[in-house]
Amino acid sequence: MLPPVHKRETVEQFILKEIEDGRYEPGDPVATGAELARRLGVSLSTAGNALRRLKEHGVLHGALGSAGTRVAVPGQDPPRTTAERAVRVAAVIRRQIEDGTYPSGTLLPSNRVLARAHRVPGHVVVQVIKILVDEELVETRASIGKLVRDPRERPGSRRLLSKSDQLVKSIRDDILNGALIPGEPLPSSIKLAHRYGMGQTTVATSVPKLLAEGLIVKVPSMSGRFLIRQTRRKGPAES
């Protein structure tokens, strides 16, 4: 039977090999202590000690023994507390609001989508929203979501775009920007819902609007599928 120190080294070498083989890229979450213990047949404390040692050597960072443990990014000193991580993510979203990625009058994505996009746990996103609310960049509305607002406006004065209108705007922008290619089939409702963080009901109610704007066209031979149509930005005389 291997002594504890050798078992710990076995776990360390396993994780290092996974990183070396490309199983884990910088920033990726690694297996939890419980998963490593079960997979390698060691105790939870042995797996935790291995993770802790790798963190001390700068290989990993984050909350040890949880899904927050990640492969360190070279040259980056990751935030160590929830508050620090929230400040960093809030700064990114603040810039996205300023550059129009999230225009005033639209809703921010759900907490789950934001957590996945910024690779942080959900409780960090909750703190991020509190920061943005305090800065009057975001306004929370019960049963609706997180509304992006113009700080110059009185809270509650901004007209809220419906989720359907937001989806149409996002698809329109993606067609204009080349992210969705004219002539190709429109992605399925499931893929659109996943891509834009909307429900399939919202997708279904958006299709008639897309047809009315001429952004898509129905093709009978495609069994209910739609083709993306060529469009262009309006010039000053047309707007």
Side-chain angles (χ1 to χ4, degrees), residues 86-121:
V87 167
R88 177 172 293 184
V89 174
V92 174
I93 297 178
R94 187 184 304 114
R95 288 194 297 271
Q96 291 175 319
I97 292 174
E98 292 170 351
D99 66 20
T101 302
Y102 298 130
S104 60
T106 62
L107 293 175
L108 283 181
S110 68
N111 284 16
R112 184 174 62 179
V113 171
L114 289 173
R116 185 168 61 243
H118 296 279
R119 307 179 81 167
V120 295

Coordinates of all heavy atoms in Angstrom, one line a residue, residues 86-121:
A86 N -15.7 39.7 -8.7 CA -16.9 40.5 -9.1 C -16.5 41.8 -9.6 O -17.1 42.2 -10.7 CB -17.8 40.6 -7.8
V87 N -15.5 42.5 -9.0 CA -15.1 43.8 -9.5 C -14.5 43.6 -10.9 O -14.8 44.4 -11.8 CB -14.0 44.4 -8.6 CG1 -13.3 45.5 -9.3 CG2 -14.7 44.8 -7.3
R88 N -13.8 42.5 -11.2 CA -13.2 42.3 -12.5 C -14.3 42.1 -13.6 O -14.2 42.7 -14.6 CB -12.2 41.2 -12.4 CG -11.6 40.8 -13.8 CD -10.5 39.8 -13.7 NE -9.3 40.3 -13.0 CZ -8.2 39.7 -12.8 NH1 -8.1 38.5 -13.2 NH2 -7.2 40.2 -12.1
V89 N -15.2 41.2 -13.2 CA -16.3 40.9 -14.2 C -17.2 42.2 -14.4 O -17.6 42.5 -15.6 CB -17.2 39.7 -13.7 CG1 -18.3 39.5 -14.7 CG2 -16.3 38.5 -13.7
A90 N -17.5 42.9 -13.4 CA -18.3 44.1 -13.5 C -17.6 45.1 -14.4 O -18.3 45.8 -15.2 CB -18.5 44.8 -12.1
A91 N -16.3 45.2 -14.4 CA -15.5 46.1 -15.2 C -15.7 45.7 -16.7 O -15.8 46.6 -17.6 CB -14.0 46.1 -14.9
V92 N -15.7 44.4 -17.0 CA -15.9 43.9 -18.3 C -17.3 44.3 -18.8 O -17.5 44.8 -19.9 CB -15.6 42.4 -18.4 CG1 -16.0 41.9 -19.8 CG2 -14.2 42.1 -18.1
I93 N -18.3 44.0 -18.0 CA -19.7 44.3 -18.4 C -19.9 45.8 -18.6 O -20.6 46.3 -19.5 CB -20.7 43.7 -17.4 CG1 -20.5 42.1 -17.5 CG2 -22.1 44.1 -17.8 CD1 -21.4 41.4 -16.5
R94 N -19.3 46.6 -17.7 CA -19.4 48.0 -17.8 C -18.9 48.5 -19.1 O -19.5 49.4 -19.8 CB -18.6 48.7 -16.7 CG -18.8 50.2 -16.6 CD -17.9 50.8 -15.5 NE -18.1 50.2 -14.2 CZ -17.1 49.4 -13.6 NH1 -16.0 49.2 -14.2 NH2 -17.4 48.9 -12.4
R95 N -17.8 48.0 -19.6 CA -17.2 48.4 -20.9 C -18.2 47.9 -22.0 O -18.4 48.6 -23.0 CB -15.8 47.7 -21.1 CG -14.7 48.4 -20.3 CD -13.4 48.0 -20.8 NE -13.1 46.6 -20.7 CZ -12.6 46.0 -19.6 NH1 -12.3 46.7 -18.6 NH2 -12.4 44.7 -19.6
Q96 N -18.8 46.7 -21.9 CA -19.7 46.3 -22.9 C -21.0 47.1 -22.9 O -21.6 47.3 -24.0 CB -20.1 44.8 -22.6 CG -19.0 43.8 -22.8 CD -19.3 42.4 -22.4 OE1 -20.0 42.2 -21.3 NE2 -18.9 41.5 -23.1
I97 N -21.4 47.7 -21.8 CA -22.5 48.6 -21.8 C -22.1 49.9 -22.5 O -22.9 50.5 -23.3 CB -23.0 48.9 -20.4 CG1 -23.6 47.6 -19.8 CG2 -24.0 50.1 -20.3 CD1 -24.0 47.8 -18.3
E98 N -20.9 50.4 -22.2 CA -20.4 51.6 -22.8 C -20.2 51.5 -24.3 O -20.5 52.5 -25.1 CB -19.1 52.1 -22.1 CG -19.3 52.5 -20.7 CD -18.0 52.7 -20.0 OE1 -16.9 52.3 -20.5 OE2 -18.0 53.1 -18.8
D99 N -19.8 50.4 -24.8 CA -19.5 50.2 -26.2 C -20.7 49.8 -27.0 O -20.7 49.5 -28.2 CB -18.3 49.3 -26.5 CG -18.6 47.8 -26.1 OD1 -19.7 47.4 -26.0 OD2 -17.6 47.1 -26.0
G100 N -21.9 49.6 -26.3 CA -23.1 49.2 -27.0 C -23.4 47.7 -27.2 O -24.4 47.3 -27.8
T101 N -22.5 46.9 -26.6 CA -22.7 45.5 -26.7 C -24.1 45.1 -26.0 O -24.9 44.3 -26.4 CB -21.6 44.7 -26.0 OG1 -20.4 45.0 -26.7 CG2 -21.8 43.2 -26.1
Y102 N -24.3 45.8 -24.9 CA -25.6 45.7 -24.1 C -26.2 47.1 -24.1 O -25.9 47.9 -23.3 CB -25.4 45.2 -22.7 CG -24.8 43.9 -22.6 CD1 -23.7 43.6 -21.7 CD2 -25.3 42.8 -23.3 CE1 -23.1 42.4 -21.6 CE2 -24.8 41.5 -23.1 CZ -23.7 41.3 -22.3 OH -23.2 40.1 -22.2
P103 N -27.0 47.5 -25.1 CA -27.6 48.8 -25.2 C -28.6 49.1 -24.1 O -29.2 48.2 -23.6 CB -28.3 48.9 -26.6 CG -27.8 47.6 -27.3 CD -27.4 46.6 -26.3
S104 N -28.7 50.4 -23.7 CA -29.7 50.7 -22.7 C -31.1 50.3 -23.3 O -31.4 50.5 -24.5 CB -29.7 52.2 -22.4 OG -29.9 53.0 -23.6
G105 N -31.9 49.8 -22.4 CA -33.3 49.4 -22.8 C -33.4 47.9 -23.1 O -34.5 47.4 -23.3
T106 N -32.2 47.2 -23.0 CA -32.2 45.8 -23.2 C -31.9 45.1 -21.9 O -31.5 45.7 -21.0 CB -31.2 45.4 -24.3 OG1 -29.9 45.7 -23.9 CG2 -31.5 46.0 -25.6
L107 N -32.2 43.8 -21.9 CA -31.9 43.0 -20.7 C -30.5 42.4 -20.8 O -30.1 41.9 -21.8 CB -32.9 41.9 -20.5 CG -34.4 42.4 -20.2 CD1 -35.3 41.2 -20.2 CD2 -34.4 43.1 -18.9
L108 N -29.8 42.3 -19.6 CA -28.6 41.5 -19.6 C -29.0 40.1 -19.7 O -30.1 39.7 -19.3 CB -27.9 41.8 -18.3 CG -27.1 43.1 -18.1 CD1 -26.5 43.1 -16.7 CD2 -26.0 43.2 -19.1
P109 N -28.0 39.2 -20.1 CA -28.3 37.8 -20.1 C -28.6 37.3 -18.7 O -28.3 38.0 -17.7 CB -27.0 37.2 -20.7 CG -26.4 38.3 -21.5 CD -26.7 39.6 -20.7
S110 N -29.1 36.1 -18.6 CA -29.4 35.5 -17.3 C -28.1 35.3 -16.5 O -27.0 35.3 -17.1 CB -30.1 34.1 -17.5 OG -29.2 33.2 -18.1
N111 N -28.2 35.1 -15.2 CA -27.0 34.9 -14.4 C -26.3 33.7 -14.8 O -25.0 33.7 -14.8 CB -27.4 34.7 -12.9 CG -27.8 36.1 -12.3 OD1 -28.0 37.1 -13.0 ND2 -27.8 36.1 -11.0
R112 N -27.0 32.6 -15.2 CA -26.3 31.4 -15.7 C -25.5 31.7 -16.9 O -24.4 31.2 -17.0 CB -27.4 30.3 -15.9 CG -26.7 29.0 -16.3 CD -27.8 27.9 -16.4 NE -28.8 28.2 -17.5 CZ -29.8 27.4 -17.8 NH1 -29.9 26.3 -17.1 NH2 -30.6 27.7 -18.7
V113 N -26.1 32.4 -17.9 CA -25.3 32.7 -19.1 C -24.1 33.6 -18.8 O -23.0 33.4 -19.3 CB -26.2 33.4 -20.1 CG1 -25.5 34.0 -21.3 CG2 -27.3 32.5 -20.6
L114 N -24.3 34.6 -17.9 CA -23.1 35.5 -17.5 C -22.0 34.7 -16.8 O -20.8 34.9 -17.1 CB -23.6 36.6 -16.6 CG -24.5 37.7 -17.3 CD1 -25.0 38.7 -16.3 CD2 -23.6 38.4 -18.4
A115 N -22.5 33.7 -16.0 CA -21.5 32.9 -15.2 C -20.7 32.1 -16.2 O -19.4 32.0 -16.1 CB -22.2 32.0 -14.2
R116 N -21.4 31.5 -17.2 CA -20.7 30.7 -18.2 C -19.7 31.6 -19.1 O -18.6 31.2 -19.4 CB -21.7 30.0 -19.1 CG -21.1 29.0 -20.1 CD -22.1 28.1 -20.7 NE -23.1 28.8 -21.4 CZ -24.4 28.8 -21.1 NH1 -24.8 28.2 -20.1 NH2 -25.2 29.5 -21.9
A117 N -20.2 32.7 -19.5 CA -19.4 33.6 -20.4 C -18.2 34.1 -19.7 O -17.1 34.2 -20.3 CB -20.3 34.8 -20.8
H118 N -18.3 34.4 -18.4 CA -17.1 35.0 -17.7 C -16.4 33.9 -16.8 O -15.5 34.3 -16.1 CB -17.6 36.1 -16.8 CG -18.1 37.3 -17.6 ND1 -17.3 38.2 -18.2 CD2 -19.4 37.6 -17.9 CE1 -18.0 39.1 -18.9 NE2 -19.3 38.8 -18.7
R119 N -16.9 32.7 -16.9 CA -16.2 31.6 -16.2 C -16.0 31.8 -14.7 O -15.0 31.7 -14.2 CB -14.8 31.3 -16.9 CG -15.0 31.1 -18.4 CD -13.7 30.9 -19.1 NE -13.3 29.5 -19.0 CZ -12.3 29.0 -19.7 NH1 -11.6 29.7 -20.5 NH2 -12.0 27.7 -19.6
V120 N -17.2 32.2 -14.1 CA -17.2 32.4 -12.7 C -18.4 31.7 -12.1 O -19.4 31.4 -12.8 CB -17.2 33.9 -12.3 CG1 -15.9 34.6 -12.7 CG2 -18.4 34.6 -12.9
P121 N -18.4 31.4 -10.8 CA -19.6 30.8 -10.2 C -20.8 31.8 -10.1 O -20.6 33.0 -10.2 CB -19.1 30.5 -8.7 CG -17.6 30.5 -8.8 CD -17.3 31.5 -9.9

